[in-house]
PDB file of all heavy atoms in Angstrom:
ATOM      1  N   LEU A  13     129.480 142.098  77.931  1.00 98.00           N
ATOM      2  CA  LEU A  13     130.231 141.136  78.780  1.00 98.00           C
ATOM      3  C   LEU A  13     131.567 140.893  78.202  1.00 98.00           C
ATOM      4  O   LEU A  13     131.786 141.029  76.969  1.00 98.00           O
ATOM      5  CB  LEU A  13     129.501 139.798  78.864  1.00 98.00           C
ATOM      6  CG  LEU A  13     128.106 139.793  79.559  1.00 98.00           C
ATOM      7  CD1 LEU A  13     127.412 138.474  79.363  1.00 98.00           C
ATOM      8  CD2 LEU A  13     128.285 140.091  81.055  1.00 98.00           C
ATOM      9  N   ASP A  14     132.553 140.499  79.029  1.00 98.00           N
ATOM     10  CA  ASP A  14     133.867 140.110  78.517  1.00 98.00           C
ATOM     11  C   ASP A  14     133.774 138.710  77.876  1.00 98.00           C
ATOM     12  O   ASP A  14     133.127 137.825  78.399  1.00 98.00           O
ATOM     13  CB  ASP A  14     134.878 140.048  79.655  1.00 98.00           C
ATOM     14  CG  ASP A  14     135.290 141.477  80.117  1.00 98.00           C
ATOM     15  OD1 ASP A  14     134.973 142.460  79.398  1.00 98.00           O
ATOM     16  OD2 ASP A  14     135.903 141.567  81.194  1.00 98.00           O
ATOM     17  N   VAL A  31     121.653 133.872  71.482  1.00 98.00           N
ATOM     18  CA  VAL A  31     122.268 134.011  72.781  1.00 98.00           C
ATOM     19  C   VAL A  31     121.857 132.740  73.527  1.00 98.00           C
ATOM     20  O   VAL A  31     120.675 132.544  73.887  1.00 98.00           O
ATOM     21  CB  VAL A  31     121.741 135.246  73.543  1.00 98.00           C
ATOM     22  CG1 VAL A  31     122.367 135.408  74.895  1.00 98.00           C
ATOM     23  CG2 VAL A  31     121.926 136.526  72.716  1.00 98.00           C
ATOM     24  N   TYR A  32     122.872 131.875  73.691  1.00 98.00           N
ATOM     25  CA  TYR A  32     122.556 130.630  74.411  1.00 98.00           C
ATOM     26  C   TYR A  32     123.263 130.636  75.781  1.00 98.00           C
ATOM     27  O   TYR A  32     124.406 131.035  75.866  1.00 98.00           O
ATOM     28  CB  TYR A  32     122.834 129.409  73.563  1.00 98.00           C
ATOM     29  CG  TYR A  32     124.246 128.950  73.483  1.00 98.00           C
ATOM     30  CD1 TYR A  32     124.754 127.951  74.388  1.00 98.00           C
ATOM     31  CD2 TYR A  32     125.119 129.425  72.528  1.00 98.00           C
ATOM     32  CE1 TYR A  32     126.045 127.490  74.294  1.00 98.00           C
ATOM     33  CE2 TYR A  32     126.435 128.929  72.406  1.00 98.00           C
ATOM     34  CZ  TYR A  32     126.875 127.989  73.308  1.00 98.00           C
ATOM     35  OH  TYR A  32     128.169 127.547  73.205  1.00 98.00           O
ATOM     36  N   PHE A  33     122.524 130.235  76.797  1.00 97.00           N
ATOM     37  CA  PHE A  33     123.002 130.170  78.132  1.00 97.00           C
ATOM     38  C   PHE A  33     123.296 128.697  78.464  1.00 97.00           C
ATOM     39  O   PHE A  33     122.485 127.832  78.125  1.00 97.00           O
ATOM     40  CB  PHE A  33     121.993 130.747  79.102  1.00 97.00           C
ATOM     41  CG  PHE A  33     121.708 132.235  78.900  1.00 97.00           C
ATOM     42  CD1 PHE A  33     120.783 132.707  77.999  1.00 97.00           C
ATOM     43  CD2 PHE A  33     122.525 133.166  79.554  1.00 97.00           C
ATOM     44  CE1 PHE A  33     120.555 134.048  77.805  1.00 97.00           C
ATOM     45  CE2 PHE A  33     122.321 134.537  79.345  1.00 97.00           C
ATOM     46  CZ  PHE A  33     121.352 134.968  78.440  1.00 97.00           C
ATOM     47  N   TYR A  34     124.409 128.452  79.158  1.00 96.00           N
ATOM     48  CA  TYR A  34     124.799 127.112  79.502  1.00 96.00           C
ATOM     49  C   TYR A  34     125.423 127.096  80.864  1.00 96.00           C
ATOM     50  O   TYR A  34     126.037 128.071  81.305  1.00 96.00           O
ATOM     51  CB  TYR A  34     125.724 126.490  78.467  1.00 96.00           C
ATOM     52  CG  TYR A  34     127.074 127.192  78.350  1.00 96.00           C
ATOM     53  CD1 TYR A  34     128.194 126.727  79.000  1.00 96.00           C
ATOM     54  CD2 TYR A  34     127.225 128.352  77.563  1.00 96.00           C
ATOM     55  CE1 TYR A  34     129.437 127.337  78.848  1.00 96.00           C
ATOM     56  CE2 TYR A  34     128.418 129.020  77.447  1.00 96.00           C
ATOM     57  CZ  TYR A  34     129.523 128.491  78.099  1.00 96.00           C
ATOM     58  OH  TYR A  34     130.761 129.104  77.968  1.00 96.00           O
ATOM     59  N   PRO A  35     125.245 126.010  81.611  1.00 94.00           N
ATOM     60  CA  PRO A  35     125.661 125.957  83.027  1.00 94.00           C
ATOM     61  C   PRO A  35     127.142 126.024  83.311  1.00 94.00           C
ATOM     62  O   PRO A  35     127.607 126.770  84.150  1.00 94.00           O
ATOM     63  CB  PRO A  35     125.087 124.637  83.541  1.00 94.00           C
ATOM     64  CG  PRO A  35     124.056 124.293  82.577  1.00 94.00           C
ATOM     65  CD  PRO A  35     124.434 124.833  81.266  1.00 94.00           C
ATOM     66  N   ARG A  36     127.946 125.219  82.596  1.00 91.00           N
ATOM     67  CA  ARG A  36     129.333 125.080  83.016  1.00 91.00           C
ATOM     68  C   ARG A  36     130.232 124.663  81.830  1.00 91.00           C
ATOM     69  O   ARG A  36     129.967 123.659  81.204  1.00 91.00           O
ATOM     70  CB  ARG A  36     129.409 124.075  84.116  1.00 91.00           C
ATOM     71  CG  ARG A  36     130.728 123.908  84.808  1.00 91.00           C
ATOM     72  CD  ARG A  36     131.182 125.054  85.721  1.00 91.00           C
ATOM     73  NE  ARG A  36     130.129 125.644  86.451  1.00 91.00           N
ATOM     74  CZ  ARG A  36     130.228 126.897  86.942  1.00 91.00           C
ATOM     75  NH1 ARG A  36     131.291 127.600  86.733  1.00 91.00           N
ATOM     76  NH2 ARG A  36     129.247 127.423  87.606  1.00 91.00           N
ATOM     77  N   ALA A  37     131.266 125.486  81.580  1.00 95.00           N
ATOM     78  CA  ALA A  37     132.210 125.106  80.493  1.00 95.00           C
ATOM     79  C   ALA A  37     132.895 123.777  80.740  1.00 95.00           C
ATOM     80  O   ALA A  37     133.189 123.446  81.902  1.00 95.00           O
ATOM     81  CB  ALA A  37     133.270 126.243  80.354  1.00 95.00           C
ATOM     82  N   ASP A  38     133.078 123.088  79.681  1.00 91.00           N
ATOM     83  CA  ASP A  38     133.860 121.831  79.668  1.00 91.00           C
ATOM     84  C   ASP A  38     133.180 120.657  80.466  1.00 91.00           C
ATOM     85  O   ASP A  38     133.887 119.810  80.949  1.00 91.00           O
ATOM     86  CB  ASP A  38     135.306 122.033  80.138  1.00 91.00           C
ATOM     87  CG  ASP A  38     136.263 121.215  79.300  1.00 91.00           C
ATOM     88  OD1 ASP A  38     135.879 120.651  78.247  1.00 91.00           O
ATOM     89  OD2 ASP A  38     137.416 121.062  79.792  1.00 91.00           O
ATOM     90  N   THR A  39     131.859 120.719  80.578  1.00 91.00           N
ATOM     91  CA  THR A  39     131.124 119.555  81.085  1.00 91.00           C
ATOM     92  C   THR A  39     130.483 118.891  79.918  1.00 91.00           C
ATOM     93  O   THR A  39     130.415 119.461  78.833  1.00 91.00           O
ATOM     94  CB  THR A  39     130.049 120.026  82.124  1.00 91.00           C
ATOM     95  OG1 THR A  39     129.177 120.972  81.442  1.00 91.00           O
ATOM     96  CG2 THR A  39     130.691 120.657  83.372  1.00 91.00           C
ATOM     97  N   CYS A  42     127.446 120.730  78.037  1.00 94.00           N
ATOM     98  CA  CYS A  42     127.849 122.036  77.508  1.00 94.00           C
ATOM     99  C   CYS A  42     128.877 121.901  76.425  1.00 94.00           C
ATOM    100  O   CYS A  42     128.839 122.724  75.464  1.00 94.00           O
ATOM    101  CB  CYS A  42     128.438 122.863  78.680  1.00 94.00           C
ATOM    102  SG  CYS A  42     127.191 123.206  79.948  1.00 94.00           S
ATOM    103  N   GLU A  45     126.926 120.900  73.299  1.00 96.00           N
ATOM    104  CA  GLU A  45     126.213 122.008  72.712  1.00 96.00           C
ATOM    105  C   GLU A  45     127.125 122.993  72.013  1.00 96.00           C
ATOM    106  O   GLU A  45     126.909 123.377  70.869  1.00 96.00           O
ATOM    107  CB  GLU A  45     125.439 122.766  73.826  1.00 96.00           C
ATOM    108  CG  GLU A  45     124.572 123.864  73.293  1.00 96.00           C
ATOM    109  CD  GLU A  45     123.675 124.492  74.337  1.00 96.00           C
ATOM    110  OE1 GLU A  45     123.967 124.364  75.575  1.00 96.00           O
ATOM    111  OE2 GLU A  45     122.648 125.122  73.985  1.00 96.00           O
ATOM    112  N   PHE A  64     126.415 133.838  70.599  1.00 98.00           N
ATOM    113  CA  PHE A  64     127.066 134.085  71.897  1.00 98.00           C
ATOM    114  C   PHE A  64     126.625 133.001  72.906  1.00 98.00           C
ATOM    115  O   PHE A  64     125.490 132.796  73.177  1.00 98.00           O
ATOM    116  CB  PHE A  64     126.598 135.441  72.486  1.00 98.00           C
ATOM    117  CG  PHE A  64     126.912 136.631  71.653  1.00 98.00           C
ATOM    118  CD1 PHE A  64     126.074 137.730  71.692  1.00 98.00           C
ATOM    119  CD2 PHE A  64     128.014 136.696  70.849  1.00 98.00           C
ATOM    120  CE1 PHE A  64     126.335 138.911  70.935  1.00 98.00           C
ATOM    121  CE2 PHE A  64     128.316 137.818  70.019  1.00 98.00           C
ATOM    122  CZ  PHE A  64     127.478 138.937  70.117  1.00 98.00           C
ATOM    123  N   GLY A  65     127.658 132.340  73.465  1.00 98.00           N
ATOM    124  CA  GLY A  65     127.412 131.414  74.565  1.00 98.00           C
ATOM    125  C   GLY A  65     127.737 132.090  75.894  1.00 98.00           C
ATOM    126  O   GLY A  65     128.830 132.649  76.045  1.00 98.00           O
ATOM    127  N   VAL A  66     126.817 132.117  76.803  1.00 98.00           N
ATOM    128  CA  VAL A  66     126.935 132.839  78.069  1.00 98.00           C
ATOM    129  C   VAL A  66     126.904 131.841  79.256  1.00 98.00           C
ATOM    130  O   VAL A  66     125.937 131.065  79.320  1.00 98.00           O
ATOM    131  CB  VAL A  66     125.839 133.868  78.227  1.00 98.00           C
ATOM    132  CG1 VAL A  66     126.007 134.688  79.489  1.00 98.00           C
ATOM    133  CG2 VAL A  66     125.783 134.851  77.015  1.00 98.00           C
ATOM    134  N   SER A  67     127.879 131.995  80.148  1.00 97.00           N
ATOM    135  CA  SER A  67     127.860 131.200  81.384  1.00 97.00           C
ATOM    136  C   SER A  67     128.482 132.069  82.469  1.00 97.00           C
ATOM    137  O   SER A  67     129.010 133.153  82.192  1.00 97.00           O
ATOM    138  CB  SER A  67     128.677 129.947  81.239  1.00 97.00           C
ATOM    139  OG  SER A  67     130.069 130.216  81.203  1.00 97.00           O
ATOM    140  N   ASP A  68     128.443 131.564  83.731  1.00 96.00           N
ATOM    141  CA  ASP A  68     129.048 132.311  84.786  1.00 96.00           C
ATOM    142  C   ASP A  68     130.525 131.965  85.049  1.00 96.00           C
ATOM    143  O   ASP A  68     131.117 132.378  86.010  1.00 96.00           O
ATOM    144  CB  ASP A  68     128.205 132.167  86.078  1.00 96.00           C
ATOM    145  CG  ASP A  68     128.065 130.795  86.553  1.00 96.00           C
ATOM    146  OD1 ASP A  68     128.625 129.836  85.984  1.00 96.00           O
ATOM    147  OD2 ASP A  68     127.333 130.604  87.595  1.00 96.00           O
ATOM    148  N   ASN A  69     131.095 131.229  84.081  1.00 96.00           N
ATOM    149  CA  ASN A  69     132.510 130.884  84.167  1.00 96.00           C
ATOM    150  C   ASN A  69     133.385 132.140  83.999  1.00 96.00           C
ATOM    151  O   ASN A  69     133.039 133.051  83.248  1.00 96.00           O
ATOM    152  CB  ASN A  69     132.919 129.921  83.062  1.00 96.00           C
ATOM    153  CG  ASN A  69     132.369 128.578  83.265  1.00 96.00           C
ATOM    154  OD1 ASN A  69     131.452 128.188  82.532  1.00 96.00           O
ATOM    155  ND2 ASN A  69     132.842 127.756  84.193  1.00 96.00           N
ATOM    156  N   PRO A  70     134.560 132.162  84.675  1.00 97.00           N
ATOM    157  CA  PRO A  70     135.479 133.280  84.449  1.00 97.00           C
ATOM    158  C   PRO A  70     136.099 133.208  83.033  1.00 97.00           C
ATOM    159  O   PRO A  70     136.143 132.157  82.406  1.00 97.00           O
ATOM    160  CB  PRO A  70     136.518 133.069  85.532  1.00 97.00           C
ATOM    161  CG  PRO A  70     136.433 131.653  85.971  1.00 97.00           C
ATOM    162  CD  PRO A  70     135.038 131.226  85.687  1.00 97.00           C
ATOM    163  N   VAL A  71     136.546 134.342  82.614  1.00 98.00           N
ATOM    164  CA  VAL A  71     137.227 134.471  81.250  1.00 98.00           C
ATOM    165  C   VAL A  71     138.254 133.398  81.045  1.00 98.00           C
ATOM    166  O   VAL A  71     138.302 132.791  79.932  1.00 98.00           O
ATOM    167  CB  VAL A  71     137.754 135.892  81.106  1.00 98.00           C
ATOM    168  CG1 VAL A  71     138.623 135.994  79.845  1.00 98.00           C
ATOM    169  CG2 VAL A  71     136.652 136.920  81.031  1.00 98.00           C
ATOM    170  N   ASP A  73     138.568 130.389  82.192  1.00 97.00           N
ATOM    171  CA  ASP A  73     137.961 129.098  81.920  1.00 97.00           C
ATOM    172  C   ASP A  73     137.390 129.017  80.533  1.00 97.00           C
ATOM    173  O   ASP A  73     137.475 128.009  79.816  1.00 97.00           O
ATOM    174  CB  ASP A  73     136.933 128.742  82.951  1.00 97.00           C
ATOM    175  CG  ASP A  73     137.462 128.487  84.334  1.00 97.00           C
ATOM    176  OD1 ASP A  73     138.723 128.466  84.491  1.00 97.00           O
ATOM    177  OD2 ASP A  73     136.685 128.286  85.285  1.00 97.00           O
ATOM    178  N   LEU A  74     136.790 130.159  80.089  1.00 97.00           N
ATOM    179  CA  LEU A  74     136.204 130.172  78.760  1.00 97.00           C
ATOM    180  C   LEU A  74     137.268 130.097  77.680  1.00 97.00           C
ATOM    181  O   LEU A  74     137.132 129.445  76.674  1.00 97.00           O
ATOM    182  CB  LEU A  74     135.366 131.465  78.585  1.00 97.00           C
ATOM    183  CG  LEU A  74     134.188 131.623  79.505  1.00 97.00           C
ATOM    184  CD1 LEU A  74     133.482 132.935  79.233  1.00 97.00           C
ATOM    185  CD2 LEU A  74     133.240 130.443  79.404  1.00 97.00           C
ATOM    186  N   ALA A  75     138.358 130.727  77.929  1.00 97.00           N
ATOM    187  CA  ALA A  75     139.520 130.700  76.965  1.00 97.00           C
ATOM    188  C   ALA A  75     140.007 129.281  76.820  1.00 97.00           C
ATOM    189  O   ALA A  75     140.262 128.791  75.727  1.00 97.00           O
ATOM    190  CB  ALA A  75     140.638 131.646  77.402  1.00 97.00           C
ATOM    191  N   PHE A  77     138.379 126.450  77.482  1.00 98.00           N
ATOM    192  CA  PHE A  77     137.290 125.627  76.910  1.00 98.00           C
ATOM    193  C   PHE A  77     137.278 125.872  75.394  1.00 98.00           C
ATOM    194  O   PHE A  77     137.246 124.929  74.592  1.00 98.00           O
ATOM    195  CB  PHE A  77     135.997 126.047  77.555  1.00 98.00           C
ATOM    196  CG  PHE A  77     134.749 125.376  77.083  1.00 98.00           C
ATOM    197  CD1 PHE A  77     134.706 123.971  76.912  1.00 98.00           C
ATOM    198  CD2 PHE A  77     133.578 126.124  76.803  1.00 98.00           C
ATOM    199  CE1 PHE A  77     133.527 123.361  76.457  1.00 98.00           C
ATOM    200  CE2 PHE A  77     132.437 125.493  76.414  1.00 98.00           C
ATOM    201  CZ  PHE A  77     132.403 124.144  76.230  1.00 98.00           C
ATOM    202  N   GLU A  86     131.474 133.177  70.157  1.00 96.00           N
ATOM    203  CA  GLU A  86     131.911 134.064  71.234  1.00 96.00           C
ATOM    204  C   GLU A  86     131.415 133.477  72.563  1.00 96.00           C
ATOM    205  O   GLU A  86     130.190 133.270  72.730  1.00 96.00           O
ATOM    206  CB  GLU A  86     131.299 135.453  71.079  1.00 96.00           C
ATOM    207  CG  GLU A  86     131.821 136.217  69.904  1.00 96.00           C
ATOM    208  CD  GLU A  86     133.063 136.982  70.194  1.00 96.00           C
ATOM    209  OE1 GLU A  86     133.589 136.953  71.326  1.00 96.00           O
ATOM    210  OE2 GLU A  86     133.551 137.655  69.262  1.00 96.00           O
ATOM    211  N   LEU A  87     132.330 133.142  73.491  1.00 98.00           N
ATOM    212  CA  LEU A  87     131.919 132.717  74.824  1.00 98.00           C
ATOM    213  C   LEU A  87     132.057 133.948  75.735  1.00 98.00           C
ATOM    214  O   LEU A  87     133.105 134.565  75.793  1.00 98.00           O
ATOM    215  CB  LEU A  87     132.843 131.604  75.249  1.00 98.00           C
ATOM    216  CG  LEU A  87     132.795 130.312  74.420  1.00 98.00           C
ATOM    217  CD1 LEU A  87     133.807 129.280  74.983  1.00 98.00           C
ATOM    218  CD2 LEU A  87     131.433 129.753  74.347  1.00 98.00           C
ATOM    219  N   LEU A  88     131.001 134.205  76.469  1.00 98.00           N
ATOM    220  CA  LEU A  88     130.911 135.403  77.247  1.00 98.00           C
ATOM    221  C   LEU A  88     130.813 135.047  78.755  1.00 98.00           C
ATOM    222  O   LEU A  88     130.054 134.147  79.138  1.00 98.00           O
ATOM    223  CB  LEU A  88     129.709 136.252  76.852  1.00 98.00           C
ATOM    224  CG  LEU A  88     129.618 136.634  75.382  1.00 98.00           C
ATOM    225  CD1 LEU A  88     128.385 137.466  75.107  1.00 98.00           C
ATOM    226  CD2 LEU A  88     130.872 137.375  74.931  1.00 98.00           C
ATOM    227  N   SER A  89     131.557 135.793  79.558  1.00 98.00           N
ATOM    228  CA  SER A  89     131.552 135.547  80.988  1.00 98.00           C
ATOM    229  C   SER A  89     130.590 136.458  81.718  1.00 98.00           C
ATOM    230  O   SER A  89     130.646 137.683  81.637  1.00 98.00           O
ATOM    231  CB  SER A  89     132.986 135.838  81.530  1.00 98.00           C
ATOM    232  OG  SER A  89     133.021 135.672  82.934  1.00 98.00           O
ATOM    233  N   ASP A  90     129.656 135.841  82.455  1.00 98.00           N
ATOM    234  CA  ASP A  90     128.639 136.549  83.230  1.00 98.00           C
ATOM    235  C   ASP A  90     128.792 136.085  84.682  1.00 98.00           C
ATOM    236  O   ASP A  90     127.968 135.354  85.186  1.00 98.00           O
ATOM    237  CB  ASP A  90     127.245 136.190  82.664  1.00 98.00           C
ATOM    238  CG  ASP A  90     126.114 136.866  83.355  1.00 98.00           C
ATOM    239  OD1 ASP A  90     126.294 137.929  83.940  1.00 98.00           O
ATOM    240  OD2 ASP A  90     124.992 136.283  83.269  1.00 98.00           O
ATOM    241  N   PRO A  91     129.923 136.529  85.354  1.00 96.00           N
ATOM    242  CA  PRO A  91     130.304 135.923  86.630  1.00 96.00           C
ATOM    243  C   PRO A  91     129.271 136.064  87.739  1.00 96.00           C
ATOM    244  O   PRO A  91     129.196 135.137  88.589  1.00 96.00           O
ATOM    245  CB  PRO A  91     131.582 136.659  86.960  1.00 96.00           C
ATOM    246  CG  PRO A  91     131.589 137.907  86.173  1.00 96.00           C
ATOM    247  CD  PRO A  91     130.819 137.620  84.962  1.00 96.00           C
ATOM    248  N   ASP A  92     128.461 137.112  87.749  1.00 95.00           N
ATOM    249  CA  ASP A  92     127.504 137.261  88.807  1.00 95.00           C
ATOM    250  C   ASP A  92     126.105 136.836  88.380  1.00 95.00           C
ATOM    251  O   ASP A  92     125.130 136.954  89.109  1.00 95.00           O
ATOM    252  CB  ASP A  92     127.502 138.655  89.367  1.00 95.00           C
ATOM    253  CG  ASP A  92     127.129 139.729  88.311  1.00 95.00           C
ATOM    254  OD1 ASP A  92     126.872 139.376  87.169  1.00 95.00           O
ATOM    255  OD2 ASP A  92     127.125 140.919  88.693  1.00 95.00           O
ATOM    256  N   GLY A  93     125.957 136.366  87.102  1.00 96.00           N
ATOM    257  CA  GLY A  93     124.672 135.936  86.580  1.00 96.00           C
ATOM    258  C   GLY A  93     123.689 137.028  86.318  1.00 96.00           C
ATOM    259  O   GLY A  93     122.506 136.773  86.092  1.00 96.00           O
ATOM    260  N   ALA A  94     124.164 138.290  86.233  1.00 97.00           N
ATOM    261  CA  ALA A  94     123.220 139.439  86.055  1.00 97.00           C
ATOM    262  C   ALA A  94     122.560 139.373  84.666  1.00 97.00           C
ATOM    263  O   ALA A  94     121.319 139.620  84.573  1.00 97.00           O
ATOM    264  CB  ALA A  94     123.939 140.750  86.277  1.00 97.00           C
ATOM    265  N   VAL A  95     123.332 139.097  83.644  1.00 98.00           N
ATOM    266  CA  VAL A  95     122.724 139.046  82.306  1.00 98.00           C
ATOM    267  C   VAL A  95     121.848 137.813  82.213  1.00 98.00           C
ATOM    268  O   VAL A  95     120.661 137.880  81.681  1.00 98.00           O
ATOM    269  CB  VAL A  95     123.846 139.036  81.211  1.00 98.00           C
ATOM    270  CG1 VAL A  95     123.253 138.743  79.824  1.00 98.00           C
ATOM    271  CG2 VAL A  95     124.569 140.379  81.232  1.00 98.00           C
ATOM    272  N   ALA A  96     122.290 136.665  82.681  1.00 97.00           N
ATOM    273  CA  ALA A  96     121.441 135.447  82.645  1.00 97.00           C
ATOM    274  C   ALA A  96     120.131 135.694  83.412  1.00 97.00           C
ATOM    275  O   ALA A  96     119.076 135.271  82.966  1.00 97.00           O
ATOM    276  CB  ALA A  96     122.212 134.259  83.175  1.00 97.00           C
ATOM    277  N   SER A 101     117.361 133.143  83.034  1.00 96.00           N
ATOM    278  CA  SER A 101     118.208 131.960  82.789  1.00 96.00           C
ATOM    279  C   SER A 101     119.239 131.764  83.905  1.00 96.00           C
ATOM    280  O   SER A 101     120.319 131.241  83.672  1.00 96.00           O
ATOM    281  CB  SER A 101     118.909 132.077  81.449  1.00 96.00           C
ATOM    282  OG  SER A 101     117.956 132.126  80.384  1.00 96.00           O
ATOM    283  N   TYR A 102     118.933 132.173  85.133  1.00 95.00           N
ATOM    284  CA  TYR A 102     119.853 132.006  86.258  1.00 95.00           C
ATOM    285  C   TYR A 102     119.089 131.853  87.541  1.00 95.00           C
ATOM    286  O   TYR A 102     118.055 132.549  87.732  1.00 95.00           O
ATOM    287  CB  TYR A 102     120.756 133.285  86.315  1.00 95.00           C
ATOM    288  CG  TYR A 102     121.919 133.115  87.278  1.00 95.00           C
ATOM    289  CD1 TYR A 102     123.066 132.484  86.812  1.00 95.00           C
ATOM    290  CD2 TYR A 102     121.909 133.658  88.535  1.00 95.00           C
ATOM    291  CE1 TYR A 102     124.198 132.377  87.682  1.00 95.00           C
ATOM    292  CE2 TYR A 102     122.987 133.567  89.388  1.00 95.00           C
ATOM    293  CZ  TYR A 102     124.175 132.904  88.906  1.00 95.00           C
ATOM    294  OH  TYR A 102     125.239 132.787  89.766  1.00 95.00           O
ATOM    295  N   ARG A 114     123.232 128.884  89.460  1.00 86.00           N
ATOM    296  CA  ARG A 114     123.766 128.375  88.198  1.00 86.00           C
ATOM    297  C   ARG A 114     122.993 128.925  87.041  1.00 86.00           C
ATOM    298  O   ARG A 114     121.804 129.265  87.089  1.00 86.00           O
ATOM    299  CB  ARG A 114     123.707 126.879  88.276  1.00 86.00           C
ATOM    300  CG  ARG A 114     124.343 126.046  87.166  1.00 86.00           C
ATOM    301  CD  ARG A 114     125.874 126.118  87.116  1.00 86.00           C
ATOM    302  NE  ARG A 114     126.630 125.811  88.291  1.00 86.00           N
ATOM    303  CZ  ARG A 114     127.138 124.691  88.679  1.00 86.00           C
ATOM    304  NH1 ARG A 114     126.951 123.631  87.971  1.00 86.00           N
ATOM    305  NH2 ARG A 114     127.848 124.579  89.752  1.00 86.00           N
ATOM    306  N   THR A 115     123.686 129.010  85.887  1.00 92.00           N
ATOM    307  CA  THR A 115     123.048 129.370  84.635  1.00 92.00           C
ATOM    308  C   THR A 115     122.219 128.228  84.104  1.00 92.00           C
ATOM    309  O   THR A 115     122.642 127.084  84.155  1.00 92.00           O
ATOM    310  CB  THR A 115     124.101 129.775  83.570  1.00 92.00           C
ATOM    311  OG1 THR A 115     124.980 130.765  84.162  1.00 92.00           O
ATOM    312  CG2 THR A 115     123.525 130.323  82.346  1.00 92.00           C
ATOM    313  N   PHE A 116     120.978 128.499  83.635  1.00 93.00           N
ATOM    314  CA  PHE A 116     120.131 127.496  83.060  1.00 93.00           C
ATOM    315  C   PHE A 116     120.399 127.347  81.536  1.00 93.00           C
ATOM    316  O   PHE A 116     120.791 128.316  80.889  1.00 93.00           O
ATOM    317  CB  PHE A 116     118.638 127.791  83.264  1.00 93.00           C
ATOM    318  CG  PHE A 116     118.243 128.031  84.680  1.00 93.00           C
ATOM    319  CD1 PHE A 116     117.320 128.997  85.003  1.00 93.00           C
ATOM    320  CD2 PHE A 116     118.784 127.258  85.702  1.00 93.00           C
ATOM    321  CE1 PHE A 116     116.949 129.260  86.300  1.00 93.00           C
ATOM    322  CE2 PHE A 116     118.397 127.476  87.026  1.00 93.00           C
ATOM    323  CZ  PHE A 116     117.470 128.471  87.315  1.00 93.00           C
ATOM    324  N   ARG A 117     120.118 126.198  80.999  1.00 95.00           N
ATOM    325  CA  ARG A 117     120.312 125.920  79.558  1.00 95.00           C
ATOM    326  C   ARG A 117     119.139 126.468  78.737  1.00 95.00           C
ATOM    327  O   ARG A 117     118.251 125.650  78.386  1.00 95.00           O
ATOM    328  CB  ARG A 117     120.620 124.476  79.293  1.00 95.00           C
ATOM    329  CG  ARG A 117     121.140 124.190  77.907  1.00 95.00           C
ATOM    330  CD  ARG A 117     121.359 122.721  77.633  1.00 95.00           C
ATOM    331  NE  ARG A 117     122.146 122.017  78.652  1.00 95.00           N
ATOM    332  CZ  ARG A 117     123.441 122.053  78.717  1.00 95.00           C
ATOM    333  NH1 ARG A 117     124.171 122.768  77.825  1.00 95.00           N
ATOM    334  NH2 ARG A 117     124.104 121.444  79.647  1.00 95.00           N
ATOM    335  N   ASN A 118     119.138 127.718  78.473  1.00 97.00           N
ATOM    336  CA  ASN A 118     118.056 128.372  77.667  1.00 97.00           C
ATOM    337  C   ASN A 118     118.710 129.077  76.503  1.00 97.00           C
ATOM    338  O   ASN A 118     119.865 129.481  76.536  1.00 97.00           O
ATOM    339  CB  ASN A 118     117.265 129.368  78.502  1.00 97.00           C
ATOM    340  CG  ASN A 118     116.556 128.784  79.680  1.00 97.00           C
ATOM    341  OD1 ASN A 118     116.236 127.603  79.631  1.00 97.00           O
ATOM    342  ND2 ASN A 118     116.307 129.554  80.723  1.00 97.00           N
TER     343      ASN A 118
END
Side-chain angles (χ1 to χ4, degrees):
L13 294 171
D14 286 346
V31 182
Y32 80 92
F33 295 90
Y34 63 98
R36 188 69 39 203
D38 218 16
T39 57
C42 297
E45 186 173 22
F64 299 151
V66 181
S67 74
D68 59 3
N69 291 107
V71 168
D73 291 356
L74 298 180
F77 179 47
E86 292 273 358
L87 298 179
L88 306 180
S89 177
D90 182 23
D92 61 1
V95 171
S101 298
Y102 192 80
R114 188 66 52 93
T115 306
F116 304 142
R117 192 182 308 280
N118 297 334

